[in-house]
Amino acid sequence: GAGVSQSPSNKVTEKGKDVELRCDPISGHTALYWYRQSLGQGLEFLIYFQGNSAPDKSGLPSDRFSAERTGGSVSTLTIQRTQQEDSAVYLCASSPTSGNTGELFFGEGSRLTVL
Amino acid sequence: GENVEQHPSTLSVQEGDSAVIKCTYSDSASNYFPWYKQELGKRPQLIIDIRSNVGEKKDQRIAVTLNKTAKHFSLHITETQPEDSAVYFCASFPGGGNKLTFGTGTQLKVEL
């Protein structure tokens, strides 16, 4: 597609369940970011992938969070044993280069609600 | 790591007035400062950016200024219109780093 695609757009889950969120970046974009946006809050950095380099995982809030990027394209963010405080919109963004030389293109986000 | 502070958190202006949003950053090596606009229920989109080798940049009704000495940068919107109502985020990219750090956002409301 022409833009960053995320799925699911909405996910409601029960506390303790695992969830997977998918991001399909713009074709050819080497940089991929995950951010989290809680209700009325800013954009919290989670993880960054750049090409074949080791990802920057410094923003992941706990070891329940993990992400991978297969083949330098699609990325999956996994949250294990979800908690209510995980409820937020998870935004994926891609960029043709590293962040300081180009625009970040965001997806529509995946809204996660943990009951 | 980099810390970006943004204020005000909310701003109401009358249509036609100007709006100013200010941000400060902590890492003196930061060299790229974009601004994103997020309309209700939509994705953030870049509206303007500035690099550390310039002090001001304009694009029609919006402008951004950068003061490297003071480590702050501002977004200026003139002749505001209802469609300017949105949340605006500033961000900073530290030199040698690899991630944008965003401010906490400003909810701008342009009233008729």
Side-chain angles (χ1 to χ4, degrees):
Chain A
V4 177
S5 178
Q6 291 188 245
S7 62
S9 56
N10 277 285
K11 176 71 175 179
V12 180
T13 190
E14 294 180 347
K15 178 181 174 181
K17 295 289 182 68
D18 297 351
V19 296
E20 285 189 353
L21 307 177
R22 175 189 168 104
C23 173
D24 198 345
I26 294 172
S27 178
H29 280 195
T30 58
L32 186 148
Y33 299 77
W34 284 96
Y35 285 88
R36 178 168 71 175
Q37 187 172 32
S38 301
L39 185 63
Q41 299 299 309
L43 298 166
E44 177 189 4
F45 168 79
L46 296 177
I47 189 169
Y48 164 73
F49 297 89
Q50 173 60 41
N52 295 320
S53 300
D56 178 353
K57 304 179 181 180
S58 61
L60 296 178
S62 77
D63 58 7
R64 297 186 295 105
F65 288 72
S66 63
E68 63 177 18
R69 188 179 185 192
T70 54
S73 181
V74 172
S75 177
T76 302
L77 177 68
T78 301
I79 309 172
Q80 296 179 310
R81 306 181 301 281
T82 52
Q83 303 294 313
Q84 289 183 332
E85 60 262 30
D86 299 335
S87 296
V89 176
Y90 289 81
L91 288 163
C92 175
S94 70
S95 175
T97 57
S98 62
N100 72 338
T101 59
E103 175 181 354
L104 291 191
F105 295 83
F106 283 87
E108 295 280 6
S110 291
R111 180 177 297 280
L112 174 65
T113 302
V114 182
L115 302 178
Chain B
E2 173 73 295
N3 182 46
V4 178
E5 295 188 355
Q6 180 173 350
H7 57 92
S9 57
T10 60
L11 178 60
S12 290
V13 298
Q14 294 293 315
E15 183 180 10
D17 287 350
S18 296
V20 180
I21 302 170
K22 299 181 179 181
C23 289
T24 60
Y25 60 97
S26 60
D27 189 340
S28 58
S30 292
N31 56 16
Y32 174 62
F33 308 92
W35 286 87
Y36 283 78
K37 176 183 180 182
Q38 186 177 30
E39 297 178 5
L40 186 62
K42 298 194 174 180
R43 70 189 78 190
Q45 292 188 297
L46 180 72
I47 55 171
I48 195 168
D49 57 16
I50 191 168
R51 301 188 188 277
S52 59
N53 57 344
V54 297
E56 184 176 7
K57 183 177 179 180
K58 290 183 178 180
D59 183 2
Q60 299 182 335
R61 295 186 298 107
I62 59 173
V64 58
T65 58
L66 171 65
N67 183 326
K68 287 187 63 181
T69 302
K71 290 190 284 188
H72 67 70
F73 56 112
S74 301
L75 178 71
H76 305 252
I77 306 174
T78 59
E79 301 172 29
T80 53
Q81 301 169 4
E83 53 265 37
D84 295 330
S85 295
V87 178
Y88 292 81
F89 293 97
C90 63
S92 168
F93 194 98
N98 55 17
K99 62 179 182 282
L100 279 175
T101 298
F102 285 88
T104 50
T106 296
Q107 174 76 61
L108 173 64
K109 182 177 181 181
V110 179
E111 300 176 333
L112 299 174

